[in-house]
Amino acid sequence: AQRVTQPEKLLSVFKGAPVELKCNYSYSGSPELFWYVQYSRQRLQLLLRHISRESIKGFTADLNKGETSFHLKKPFAQEEDSAMYYCALQTGGFKTIFGAGTRLFVKA
Amino acid sequence: GAVVSQHPSWVICKSGTSVKIECRSLDFQATTMFWYRQFPKQSLMLMATSNEGSKATYEQGVEKDKFLINHASLTLSTLTVTSAHPEDSSFYICSARTRTGNSYEQYFGPGTRLTVT
């Protein structure tokens, strides 16, 4: 079965603290994984994709096929990082399956 | 960057009536568009995949006769909720897919909030 699991609905950290948003997936094929972000009152937008292996706004995510994980990390959280984060899996048929989302709240 | 618009941004309709939601890719052509539904505090659920010039592919559990999708051109897809009921009240989001290099990227519309009274 194709599934994306984000175990934390809410993650609250202090400004400057490290943050890790967890994502695990289930897919029999070769996965293409993404992180999307939705800031307050804004539309969903792509944050990063695993094939790019880049850092966006200080965030990185590494695909671990052994653990079927694609956790999103940032060493020092900023208040402007507060948003809803969705992990997503794109299947071979180009459908995108979203996780339930994690709301990140960065406290001053 | 690529922009996807939706119209209307919100709509209130009476039970039993039909509502049409438009999704447009403003500065690119999209052979494929997707329609999602999002309930409060929940994730996006894919309803259907809309391909230009052909019938939409619906996900399991989504009634195709209730949620009519038309992808008439490379820049426009419409979702019509027929005989709407209060349980159809939700946030409907479309996205359009375009090729970037060797991969595809999805751009999302701002969503349409439907309230059925």
Side-chain angles (χ1 to χ4, degrees), chain B:
Chain B
V3 177
V4 175
S5 71
Q6 280 184 243
H7 178 80
S9 55
W10 61 272
V11 57
I12 301 173
C13 72
K14 291 188 176 180
S15 189
T17 61
S18 295
V19 173
K20 180 186 284 190
I21 302 170
E22 290 185 351
C23 176
R24 293 182 185 272
S25 56
L26 296 186
D27 49 4
F28 66 99
Q29 293 183 331
T31 54
T32 304
M33 290 185 174
F34 302 91
W35 286 95
Y36 294 87
R37 184 172 180 177
Q38 186 177 33
F39 290 103
K41 300 186 187 298
Q42 294 189 30
S43 187
L44 286 78
M45 297 294 294
L46 180 64
M47 297 175 66
T49 302
S50 168
N51 293 299
E52 188 265 338
S54 65
K55 290 184 178 180
T57 303
Y58 290 81
E59 294 301 298
Q60 193 172 12
V62 178
E63 297 175 60
K64 60 182 179 182
D65 294 330
K66 181 166 187 61
F67 298 100
L68 300 178
I69 291 172
N70 187 344
H71 196 151
S73 76
L74 289 172
T75 59
L76 173 65
S77 176
T78 60
L79 168 68
T80 302
V81 183
T82 62
S83 187
H85 288 100
E87 56 265 30
D88 298 326
S89 298
S90 190
F91 197 56
Y92 292 88
I93 302 170
C94 76
S95 74
R97 192 183 78 188
T98 184
R99 193 179 182 107
T100 53
N102 292 326
S103 63
Y104 290 90
E105 196 154 322
Q106 274 188 266
Y107 295 92
F108 288 82
T112 297
R113 183 163 301 284
L114 169 64
T115 302
V116 185
T117 60

Side-chain angles (χ1 to χ4, degrees), chain A residues 26-94:
Chain A
S26 174
Y27 183 54
S28 57
S30 183
E32 189 164 348
L33 287 149
F34 305 79
W35 276 97
Y36 286 87
V37 60
Q38 189 170 28
Y39 299 102
S40 180
R41 300 184 186 282
Q42 294 187 28
R43 70 185 69 192
L44 200 65
Q45 57 185 289
L46 178 66
L47 179 62
L48 53 80
R49 58 172 69 198
H50 90 270
I51 60 173
S52 300
R53 301 185 66 82
E54 56 190 345
S55 173
I56 304 293
K57 299 184 179 183
F59 285 98
T60 59
D62 291 316
L63 175 61
N64 185 322
K65 290 188 177 181
E67 295 181 0
T68 60
S69 68
F70 188 56
H71 304 324
L72 182 68
K73 300 177 184 179
K74 184 169 183 176
F76 307 104
Q78 303 298 314
E79 289 181 73
E80 54 265 29
D81 295 329
S82 296
M84 194 74 180
Y85 291 81
Y86 293 97
C87 181
L89 164 71
Q90 184 170 280
T91 69
F94 298 110

